Amino acid sequence: DAGVIQSPRHEVTEMGQEVTLRCKPISGHDYLFWYRQTMMRGLELLIYFNNNVPIDDSGMPEDRFSAKMPNASFSTLKIQPSEPRDSAVYFCASSLGLRGYGYTFGSGTRLTVV
Amino acid sequence: QQQVKQSPQSLIVQKGGISIINCAYENTAFDYFPWYQQFPGKGPALLIAIRPDVSEKKEGRFTISFNKSAKQFSLHIMDSQPGDSATYFCAATSSGSARQLTFGSGTQLTVLP
């Protein structure tokens, strides 16, 4: 398996633009998580899905952030409009049910909003 | 009560030395404690994990020591190598939390050659 695949790896956008981050989880994993990593705040859980259904989005910082999982092999995190303070590395992770608690993280998307 | 406190923030060790990273937690419901290793430009990767029914788990040069009564656990890296230079995160979760991980703040380890 290729692991969790995220795209793009790097994104530079201007303030006010819409940004869409993409994630393909490991096939067969039933949980998908979106995290944000910054120097100041470390790893923050934004939202997670179970069997494509959003379970907890309490970590989403503002209404500008939205996430979808239309099927078991694809999820998006959208920021509209983007702001400089959204600059961070965004990670997607997936995991398999109750057998083995380890998450598998993707390599992340480094977002820079100028 | 969901916090996991990690120390030190950064650590410099000579090659061949022992690296020790400590974590403490408050939530007694936590029942799974993994450690993640993150190299620059990569996502965190599961390194080793422990459950509170054992006091120690060893995998190669990596050992987790767990003190349930003190609510503390630590990662020991024996014979540290320059290739171990990375950021290490401790984490914790409970079966009642829908498996959300609570991460520590991370320790940046540098092993000098």
Side-chain angles (χ1 to χ4, degrees):
Chain A
D1 199 317
V4 176
I5 300 173
Q6 290 187 247
S7 64
R9 288 299 312 275
H10 302 275
E11 177 78 40
V12 180
T13 190
E14 292 185 347
M15 182 174 62
Q17 296 298 306
E18 176 180 295
V19 176
T20 300
L21 312 182
R22 297 172 176 79
C23 175
K24 176 179 169 55
I26 290 175
S27 176
H29 280 191
D30 56 350
Y31 283 87
L32 184 138
F33 306 83
W34 282 100
Y35 280 87
R36 179 170 68 176
Q37 186 175 40
T38 61
M39 289 295 294
M40 291 299 295
R41 301 173 70 89
L43 276 164
E44 301 175 274
L45 176 65
L46 300 177
I47 185 172
Y48 76 96
F49 296 82
N50 178 219
N51 292 324
N52 313 337
V53 176
I55 303 301
D56 185 352
D57 66 353
S58 60
M60 298 285 260
E62 301 171 35
D63 291 344
R64 298 184 296 106
F65 286 70
S66 62
K68 295 182 180 180
M69 192 167 185
N71 57 62
S73 59
F74 185 66
S75 177
T76 59
L77 177 68
K78 184 177 293 185
I79 308 172
Q80 165 65 16
S82 57
E83 296 183 4
R85 59 195 169 114
D86 301 331
S87 297
V89 181
Y90 292 81
F91 288 103
C92 175
S94 70
S95 69
L96 176 62
L98 294 175
R99 291 175 299 166
Y101 280 48
Y103 292 12
T104 301
F105 281 81
S107 294
T109 295
R110 181 174 294 278
L111 173 65
T112 303
V113 183
V114 298
Chain B
Q1 201 177 19
Q2 290 294 320
Q3 271 191 320
V4 176
K5 295 183 180 180
Q6 184 172 346
S7 63
Q9 189 174 12
S10 62
L11 180 62
I12 300 174
V13 175
Q14 293 286 340
K15 178 182 176 181
I18 302 174
S19 303
I20 302 175
I21 304 171
N22 301 300
C23 286
Y25 64 96
E26 292 294 326
N27 188 347
T28 55
F30 285 150
D31 58 6
Y32 182 75
F33 302 87
W35 285 88
Y36 283 79
Q37 179 188 54
Q38 184 180 25
F39 292 107
K42 299 291 186 182
L46 180 64
L47 182 63
I48 186 173
I50 196 169
R51 297 187 186 278
D53 53 344
V54 297
S55 60
E56 185 176 282
K57 183 173 181 180
K58 184 176 180 179
E59 290 185 3
R61 296 183 294 106
F62 299 89
T63 299
I64 300 178
S65 296
F66 188 83
N67 186 329
K68 188 174 182 179
S69 60
K71 292 185 285 187
Q72 296 175 348
F73 58 110
S74 59
L75 176 69
H76 296 236
I77 306 174
M78 310 301 289
D79 187 26
S80 299
Q81 300 296 311
D84 297 331
S85 298
T87 301
Y88 292 81
F89 294 92
C90 61
T93 188
S94 66
S95 55
S97 69
R99 301 176 62 252
Q100 293 180 59
L101 281 174
T102 299
F103 282 93
S105 55
T107 297
Q108 187 167 346
L109 172 65
T110 302
V111 182
L112 301 175

